[in-house]
Amino acid sequence: MVSQKKYVVGITDHMIGTPDLEADVLGEDVEIDFFASTDETRFDAERLARLDALMVWGARLGPKSIAHLTRCKGVVRYGVGYEKIDLSALKRAGIPFANNPDYGTEEVADHAMAMILSLHRRLWEHDAHSRSYVSSWQVNSLKPLPRANRTTVGVVGVGRIGTAVVNRLKPFGYRILGYDPGQPPGHEKAIGYERAERLDDIFTRSDIVTLHCPANEETRGMLGADGLARLRPGAILVNTARGELLHDLNALEAALRSGHMAAAAIDTMEQEPPGNHPLLTAWREREDWLAGRLVITPHNAFYSDHAAVEMRHNAAQTVRILLDQGRLRNRVTT
Ligand SMILES: NC(=O)C1=CN([C@@H]2O[C@H](COP(=O)(O)OP(=O)(O)OC[C@H]3O[C@@H](n4cnc5c(N)ncnc54)[C@H](O)[C@@H]3O)[C@@H](O)[C@H]2O)C=CC1
Ligand SMILES: O=C(O)C(=O)COP(=O)(O)O
């Protein structure tokens, strides 16, 4: 039977079962081809060649799949980060690409803030201590805490999420240092933080560092062994951006094991789910030396019921506008 639909939109994979909300937003003249896989090697060439647009969630998209997108007028990612999408190959194929920048800003900022406050107040360490205490219940041997207004938080990337984090830090009285070469002079005055001219200033002056910039060739390994060594003794690190920024787990383990770093909280890892690095084994087995000093959440900083709906709605709407008007909003590629 010949399809009555005017367009075909592909969806690679999805965090919540079937793409019913997308079907509502895309409308009745759109046939959805749901690949239901994050493995692009399983995407069928003939199915890719039928698509007028493609929506991607967790899948990688490389040159081989892109070469088959011969009808495609645009690729839209459900999320903000797009390090798994080969933008050069899309550009060569003449296919514009858009991300979905505004769906979960508050959630990620809340998540980072929760991590900052919890590690600063050493909640998990104190919890571990009180669970296994021997003699001193109330004031234990953990190093005393600096007050928030004596504590500098370095924010790397003061875009949407970084700005929302700055706005959350302010009422707590934290001193805020921000580094973002992409923001114009004066941004720091409008938002209310001290501008760091160099990334190294963040590393050497901050008690707590929180990462909010994208992963790309420039930022990969931003906090490698050298960067971690530049941190202040007793530093706390929060990464809700991308694991690629902090990909050297050997260096992170060494910094935590030696006590150079007090603690780290991580929502995103280069490999998800993560493998069996000794640091992760120590974390899984709750080894004493690491108790409460490494916190890992499974890349869900963005997640709330509202954000999940907004993410799907906005991404589908971006495709609908593309189909109707030939215009790709939130376009990333030139
Ligand atoms: N864990 C999670 O669930 C989520 C994580 N993310 C991650 O957070 C990142 C930031 O998201 P948004 O704030 O919405 O993006 P955004 O695009 O609004 O802000 C990113 C900022 O980083 C800056 N930047 C770029 N290169 C930099 C560098 N080398 N050093 C310092 N700053 C640099 C840019 O100028 C920009 O202001 C995303 O790229 C994504 O990887 C985003 C959403 C959810
Ligand atoms: O929007 C983002 O960039 C996020 O990190 C949210 O998770 P995702 O990338 O969609 O797996």
Side-chain angles (χ1 to χ4, degrees), residues 130-172:
S130 36
R131 209 173 320 129
S132 58
Y133 93 103
V134 180
S135 55
S136 159
W137 169 249
Q138 194 180 7
V139 178
N140 57 47
S141 59
L142 295 175
K143 198 169 155 269
L145 300 155
R147 214 171 246 173
N149 66 9
R150 307 278 168 82
T151 300
T152 299
V153 181
V155 181
V156 180
V158 198
R160 291 173 181 82
I161 296 169
T163 298
V165 170
V166 169
N167 287 335
R168 281 156 177 72
L169 290 166
K170 281 194 275 190
F172 284 87

Side-chain angles (χ1 to χ4, degrees), residues 307-327:
V309 169
E310 219 166 48
M311 171 196 258
R312 300 169 62 192
H313 184 274
N314 292 359
Q317 210 173 40
T318 299
V319 172
R320 188 67 237 186
I321 293 170
L322 172 72
L323 298 176
D324 287 340
Q325 303 173 22
R327 170 177 75 85

Side-chain angles (χ1 to χ4, degrees), residues 152-156 177-179 194-209 230-232:
T152 299
V153 181
V155 181
V156 180
L177 194 59
Y179 173 72
E194 183 191 344
R195 189 181 190 104
E197 295 301 336
R198 299 174 316 147
L199 183 59
D200 195 56
D201 293 339
I202 295 278
F203 294 163
T204 56
R205 288 183 51 199
S206 305
D207 302 292
I208 302 173
V209 174
R230 298 288 291 163
L231 296 180
R232 295 183 65 148

